[in-house]
């Protein structure tokens, strides 16, 4: 069997890996174990018995066993080895070392109306199920969906939910890629959450890890060559995507993607750290994955996407196949975050040493990647290629996410590092950009709780290795202090959100500010159009200002960002007409010091105004005269930054 024929879903349904309930108290079992002569299904509940499977030429052992159904728990016994859980287990109710459990083959979906939403309309909200609510379950997320929808969110992004060791973890140590974390609510809990999201018009993105498997509870090497010793990753052995036997490893992960989309109705997969998917084959796994997802999307008549996380700054990931790419739909742009963060915090250690100027931010706003082939001091080599030709909806930007908060030594959020005025300025940069924005849970109201790294492993040696590994990671940033113990439950508990803050003081104001930014993004045509070709970006390092002009037809938006603690003057030459002030972060309603900017500015071709410190201003103009002017020639009395 050479992988999965992406166009033959009926065939796939009859050859799914793992245990599939067929009805009438019967179940089909299929497991790949090419090195084993004999594989037995060892049933441990509700009775204790063992049944042999039949092996085929490709090393798959399969069989239909009577007296099995939902709730039956089982292990696999390989020759004289085991028992071990099913690599394709759908549920591990007793954890990563316990038996696998058969789940029902049907679920009462009521989202038949749902066909997904366009990627360009995504406004993402990344959340960790375990810390988003006190309960830490899928079900506990559901009551908050109305609040997220009211904020303007169109898609929630779940950090990984595949079974990990214990009951607290970021999720990037998955032991069973198909099994849904038991402490979150298992398969039924996830499906209920997806069902609820779709009823409210929210898409669901799921973070998946295909570059490695977690060290605890990982018995995959007992079954077959899932790993290769040709490469390694920072987190352990690399998955085998181009070594001997890789067709069947690919089949496993391609089928995993199908499971999330077909069985769990997930709308997009965010693929973790694709730079650690080591694959130099002529037909890479990522291309095969994107093709499969796109064909499945057509078959289901639903919009389904693949989104990559990568630190390569390589447009190949999202370029179409005919241009030598992998044809994934979008990718995270870390350069945008680094440009904003280093500028507003002044940090210059670690990878932030490559950033910190307005020129960097201007390029991130104009193109996407800052490093497009020039020398990186942090990497001590040239880095990246140009994203200038990528459409804006291919890049996802953010000012915070789980990595950029959680991989700080103390896990402090941006709200703990900058002033309230700078928080508003930073939020506007991402939400009013032409790219797809992502918020990290709690960001919208300035959650003070940290997001730190936490685990609940059972192996003392592994726990100590994680502790030392974290300390080593922090060395490049020269942070002072003692990092929190990731194994200590208090580390996990102090990361829980306090949603009640969104109704109090400056937290309430920030929440309303975020909501208004999203409203502006959706309702002003110049901002709703995700087109990098219909914008100009101008930086003035001396004045610490950034001017962004965006347009769509007769709709024009002028964004003025000021990054200094002293007032600064803007001079904008270009389009005449009456410009209406739509946003002024210094106004009292936003807890600002008070505005001196009038509600309208009548321009005969020149606008001059003085901005308060750390302010963001938005003006709009909509008339036919403006539409007839060659807007690409707008001038600001400043020198536009050139390609670095």
């Amino acid at each position: 069997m050479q992988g999965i024929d992406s166009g033959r879903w009926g065939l796939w349904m009859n050859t799914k890996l793992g245990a599939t309930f067929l009805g009438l108290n019967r179940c089909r079992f299929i497991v790949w174990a090419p090195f084993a002569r004999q594989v037995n299904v060892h049933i441990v509940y509700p009775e204790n018995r063992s049944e042999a499977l039949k092996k085929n030429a490709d090393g798959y052992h399969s069989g239909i066993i009577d007296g099995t159904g939902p709730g039956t728990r089982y292990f696999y016994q390989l020759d004289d080895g085991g028992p071990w859980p099913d690599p394709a287990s759908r549920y591990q109710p007793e954890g990563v070392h316990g038996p696998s459990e058969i789940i029902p083959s049907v679920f009462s979906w009521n989202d038949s109306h749902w066909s997904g939403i366009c990627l360009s309309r995504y406004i993402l909200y990344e959340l960790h199920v375990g810390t988003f609510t006190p309960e830490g379950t899928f079900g506990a997320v559901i009551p908050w969906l109305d609040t997220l929808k009211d904020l303007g969110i169109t898609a929630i992004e779940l950090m990984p939910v595949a079974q990990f060791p214990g009951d607290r973890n970021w999720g990037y140590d998955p032991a069973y890629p198909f099994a849904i974390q038991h402490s979150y609510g298992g398969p039924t809990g996830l499906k209920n959450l997806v069902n609820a999201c779709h009823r409210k018009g929210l898409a669901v993105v799921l973070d998946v890890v295909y570059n490695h498997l977690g060290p605890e509870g990982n018995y995959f090497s007992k079954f077959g060559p899932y790993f290769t010793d040709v490469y390694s990753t920072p987190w352990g052995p690399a998955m085998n995507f181009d070594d001997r036997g890789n067709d069947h490893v690919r089949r496993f992960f391609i089928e995993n993607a199908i499971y999330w989309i077909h069985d769990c109705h997930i709308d997009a997969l965010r693929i973790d750290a694709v730079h650690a998917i080591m694959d130099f084959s002529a037909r890479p796994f990522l291309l095969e994955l994107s093709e499969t997802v796109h064909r499945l999307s057509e078959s289901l008549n639903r919009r389904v996407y693949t989104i990559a996380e990568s630190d390569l700054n390589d447009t190949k990931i999202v370029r179409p196949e005919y241009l030598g790419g992998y044809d994934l739909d979008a990718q995270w742009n870390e350069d945008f975050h680094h440009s904003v963060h280093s500028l507003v915090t002044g940090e210059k250690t670690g990878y932030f040493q490559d950033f910190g100027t307005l020129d960097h931010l201007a390029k991130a706003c104009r193109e996407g990647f800052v490093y497009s082939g020039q020398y990186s001091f942090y990497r001590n080599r040239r880095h990246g290629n140009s994203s200038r030709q990528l459409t804006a909806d291919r890049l996802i930007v953010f000012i915070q996410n789980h990595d950029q908060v959680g991989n700080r030594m103390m896990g402090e959020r941006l709200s703990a590092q900058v002033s309230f005025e700078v928080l508003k300025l930073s939020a506007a940069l991402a939400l009013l950009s032409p790219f797809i924005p992502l918020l990290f849970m709690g960001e919208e109201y300035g959650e003070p709780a940290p997001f730190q790294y936490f685990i609940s492993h059972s192996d003392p040696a592994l726990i100590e290795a994680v502790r030392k590994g974290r300390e080593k990671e922090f060395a490049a940033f020269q942070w002072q202090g003692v990092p929190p113990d990731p194994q200590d439950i208090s580390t996990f508990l102090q990361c829980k959100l306090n949603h009640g803050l969104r109704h109090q003081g400056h937290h309430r104001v920030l929440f309303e500010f975020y909501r208004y930014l999203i409203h502006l993004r959706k309702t002003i045509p110049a901002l709703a159009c995700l087109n990098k070709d219909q914008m100009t970006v101008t930086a003035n390092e001396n004045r610490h200002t950034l001017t962004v002009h965006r347009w769509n037809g007769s709709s024009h938006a002028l964004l003025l960002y000021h990054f200094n603690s002293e007032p600064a003057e803007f001079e904008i030459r270009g389009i005449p007409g009456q410009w209406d002030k739509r946003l002024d972060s210094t106004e009292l309603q936003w807890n600002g010091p008070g505005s001196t900017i009038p509600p309208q500015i009548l321009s005969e071709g020149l606008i001059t105004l003085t901005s308060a410190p750390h302010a963001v201003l938005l003006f709009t103009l909509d008339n036919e005269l403006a539409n007839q002017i060659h807007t690409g020639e707008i001038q600001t009395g400043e020198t536009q930054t050139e390609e670095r």
Side-chain angles (χ1 to χ4, degrees), residues 53-276:
L53 300 179
K54 183 178 180 180
K55 184 178 182 180
N56 71 10
D58 290 315
Y60 289 90
H61 300 251
S62 63
I64 295 175
I65 299 177
D66 292 328
T68 57
T72 298
R73 297 185 182 181
Y74 66 97
F75 287 106
Y76 283 130
Q77 189 91 33
L78 278 65
D79 297 329
D80 298 325
W84 295 302
D86 185 349
S89 168
R90 288 344 190 236
Y91 191 33
Q92 291 293 123
E94 299 178 37
V96 297
H97 302 290
S100 305
E101 181 171 305
I102 299 171
I103 66 172
S105 56
V106 295
F107 177 80
S108 297
W109 293 100
N110 55 18
D111 64 349
S112 59
H113 68 287
W114 178 256
S115 59
I117 61 176
C118 293
L119 187 58
S120 61
R121 290 178 51 212
Y122 271 39
I123 299 174
L124 290 153
Y125 188 90
E126 184 187 27
L127 67 87
H128 178 268
V129 174
T131 57
F132 185 69
T133 65
E135 301 86 348
T137 63
F138 296 122
V141 175
I142 294 175
W144 293 102
L145 297 180
D146 285 333
T147 300
L148 296 180
K149 190 171 176 66
D150 177 61
L151 175 63
I153 297 302
T154 63
I156 67 168
E157 179 171 321
L158 303 175
M159 289 175 63
V161 302
Q163 185 71 41
F164 51 74
D167 56 8
R168 57 187 187 276
N169 194 292
W170 277 16
Y172 297 96
D173 289 324
Y176 296 93
F178 287 84
I180 300 171
Q181 179 64 19
H182 71 284
S183 60
Y184 289 172
T188 300
L190 175 63
K191 292 174 183 178
N192 282 331
L193 173 57
V194 174
N195 224 3
C197 286
H198 289 171
R199 287 199 302 269
K200 296 181 182 297
L202 295 169
V204 181
V205 181
L206 181 64
D207 204 338
V208 294
V209 182
Y210 292 161
N211 55 68
H212 77 290
L213 294 174
E216 183 174 350
N218 173 5
Y219 300 104
F220 277 61
S221 60
K222 309 292 186 181
F223 287 83
Y226 281 91
F227 305 99
T228 174
D229 56 8
V230 177
Y231 320 107
S232 63
T233 78
W235 313 286
M239 303 309 303
N240 175 20
F241 288 118
D242 68 358
D243 205 352
R244 292 177 178 273
N246 79 81
D247 284 340
H248 306 286
V249 179
R250 288 179 180 224
R251 180 249 172 103
F252 181 90
F253 287 102
I254 293 289
E255 188 167 320
N256 180 257
I258 295 172
Y259 170 70
W260 295 121
I261 296 165
H262 183 277
D263 290 28
C264 300
H265 292 203
I266 296 296
D267 298 290
L269 299 177
R270 184 266 193 188
I271 307 161
D272 179 64
V274 300
H275 51 271

Side-chain angles (χ1 to χ4, degrees), residues 51 80 124 201 222 331 398 468 511 531 599:
E51 301 282 350
D80 298 325
L124 290 153
K222 309 292 186 181
Q331 65 177 305
F398 35 80
K468 291 181 178 178
F511 180 84
N531 191 334

Side-chain angles (χ1 to χ4, degrees), residues 448-507:
F451 186 72
Q452 297 167 337
Y453 189 71
F454 43 81
I455 56 174
S456 52
H457 292 310
S458 62
D459 181 352
L462 178 58
I463 294 168
E464 188 59 28
V466 172
R467 288 173 179 146
K468 291 181 178 178
R470 295 291 290 175
E471 291 175 1
K472 184 177 180 181
E473 288 179 19
F474 300 143
F477 293 90
Q478 302 170 23
W479 288 318
Q480 302 299 312
V482 179
D485 183 357
Q487 181 72 12
D488 192 327
I489 191 172
S490 65
T491 302
F492 167 71
L493 293 176
Q494 67 180 343
C495 297
K496 297 272 189 177
L497 299 191
N498 182 357
H499 291 281
L501 290 175
R502 73 179 68 235
H503 304 297
Q504 303 173 19
H506 72 276
H507 299 290

